[in-house]
């Protein structure tokens, strides 16, 4: 079975500061990992994905994440926060390795950006 | 590309009533997924279709819930005898379908259900 733990339900950063959102996963098979962003009253938008190629993954809007197998982590970073980054972020793991196409999501981290 | 659409966007109902939601996937996508998202939680998988066949169902999908995709295009999710615990955002996603490969799921805006 797969699971995802996101540390910190709410993170606040100043505009221009580093964004770091933490995600740890558990998977019995090699994982596919994802970060999604959700703005209020909207669906989920894919930021980036890891599918067993390069361990450092670059996504949209300047975000990137690094897959660290030894730490079972897939933390999301952005060097400089912008006001428009304020949203909720979800880390997810695919169950494809176990024969399922469902995604298992973490509980989410709400990012606030302080001007 | 019009994206995944869901209707209605909001639904308020009284406990015990039946409700039905509709999802229209991206036109060339043969896979369709339903998720439920309650307040303060991430989305939880409910069910998945490959064309018109329902291939996976979560244990969250009680017998009051039924999903269909009759012609392999749009899908409906019906909840019978709604309970207050059914209040949530119901998300639909679609993807192309290459066997054994991960295909990106594109999400719709969701239907927010409130059961009074």
């Amino acid at each position: 079975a797969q699971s995802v733990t996101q540390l910190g339900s709410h993170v606040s950063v100043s505009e221009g500061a580093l964004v770091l959102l933490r995600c740890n996963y558990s998977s019995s098979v090699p994982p596919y990992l994802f970060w999604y962003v959700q703005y209020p009253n909207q669906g989920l938008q894919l930021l980036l994905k890891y599918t067993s190629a390069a361990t450092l993954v670059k996504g949209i809007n300047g975000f990137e994440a690094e897959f660290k197998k030894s730490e079972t982590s897939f933390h999301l970073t952005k060097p400089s926060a912008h006001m428009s980054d304020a949203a909720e972020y979800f880390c997810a793991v695919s169950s494809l390795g176990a024969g399922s196409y469902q995604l298992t999501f973490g509980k989410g981290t709400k990012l606030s950006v302080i001007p | 590309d019009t994206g995944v659409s869901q209707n209605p966007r909001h639904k308020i109902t009284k406990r015990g009533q039946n409700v039905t939601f509709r999802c229209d996937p991206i036109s060339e996508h043969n896979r369709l997924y339903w998720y439920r998202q309650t307040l303060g939680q991430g989305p939880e998988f409910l069910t998945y279709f490959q064309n018109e066949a329902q291939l996976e169902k979560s244990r969250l999908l009680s017998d009051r819930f039924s999903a269909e995709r009759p012609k392999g295009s749009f899908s409906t999710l019906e909840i019978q005898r709604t309970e207050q615990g059914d209040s949530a955002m119901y998300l639909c996603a679609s993807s192309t379908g290459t066997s054994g490969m991960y295909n990106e799921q594109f999400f719709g805006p969701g239907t927010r259900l409130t059961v009074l």
Side-chain angles (χ1 to χ4, degrees):
Chain A
Q2 283 74 24
S3 67
V4 171
T5 302
Q6 291 183 241
L7 298 176
S9 59
H10 196 170
V11 170
S12 292
V13 300
S14 297
E15 191 174 17
L18 172 71
V19 175
L20 171 60
L21 304 182
R22 299 178 186 274
C23 172
N24 288 87
Y25 69 91
S26 171
S27 178
S28 56
V29 297
Y32 289 175
L33 295 160
F34 312 87
W35 276 98
Y36 282 85
V37 61
Q38 186 176 36
Y39 297 98
N41 298 316
Q42 295 187 27
L44 301 169
Q45 180 183 11
L46 182 66
L47 277 178
L48 49 79
K49 62 181 183 286
Y50 166 77
T51 55
S52 74
T55 56
L56 182 62
V57 180
K58 295 187 183 298
I60 61 172
N61 301 338
F63 285 94
E64 63 181 39
E66 186 172 9
F67 172 68
K68 292 187 176 180
K69 183 178 179 180
S70 61
E71 299 177 7
T72 61
S73 69
F74 190 58
H75 302 329
L76 181 71
T77 60
K78 181 174 180 177
S80 176
H82 191 272
M83 295 298 294
S84 61
D85 295 327
E88 190 151 23
Y89 293 80
F90 293 93
C91 182
V93 61
S94 167
S95 302
L96 181 58
S100 169
Y101 294 100
Q102 66 177 273
L103 294 174
T104 300
F105 288 86
K107 292 186 176 183
T109 298
K110 188 173 182 179
L111 176 66
S112 298
V113 181
I114 304 166
Chain B
D1 180 3
T2 57
V4 178
S5 62
Q6 293 187 246
N7 289 288
R9 293 292 307 277
H10 303 274
K11 179 70 177 179
I12 299 174
T13 191
K14 293 182 179 179
R15 188 177 55 186
Q17 298 294 304
N18 298 345
V19 294
T20 300
F21 311 140
R22 176 177 169 128
C23 171
D24 287 89
I26 294 171
S27 59
E28 64 268 25
H29 287 184
N30 59 351
R31 290 188 184 147
L32 188 146
Y33 315 78
W34 285 99
Y35 292 82
R36 182 178 72 182
Q37 185 178 17
T38 54
L39 202 61
Q41 302 294 318
E44 297 171 292
F45 172 79
L46 292 178
T47 190
Y48 146 69
F49 290 85
Q50 172 99 17
N51 299 312
E52 66 276 8
Q54 188 174 19
L55 298 184
E56 284 189 68
K57 289 198 293 186
S58 162
R59 59 180 171 77
L60 294 176
L61 210 67
S62 75
D63 56 6
R64 295 186 298 106
F65 288 71
S66 63
E68 294 183 344
R69 195 182 183 199
K71 296 182 179 180
S73 56
F74 73 91
S75 175
T76 57
L77 178 66
E78 180 183 15
I79 309 175
Q80 296 182 326
R81 306 181 302 282
T82 52
E83 301 173 355
Q84 289 183 326
D86 297 330
S87 295
M89 176 79 87
Y90 290 84
L91 294 166
C92 176
S94 69
S95 74
T96 55
T98 305
S99 179
M101 290 182 61
Y102 174 76
N103 302 100
E104 180 181 343
Q105 295 181 26
F106 293 82
F107 283 81
T111 294
R112 182 170 296 282
L113 173 66
T114 302
V115 181
L116 302 175

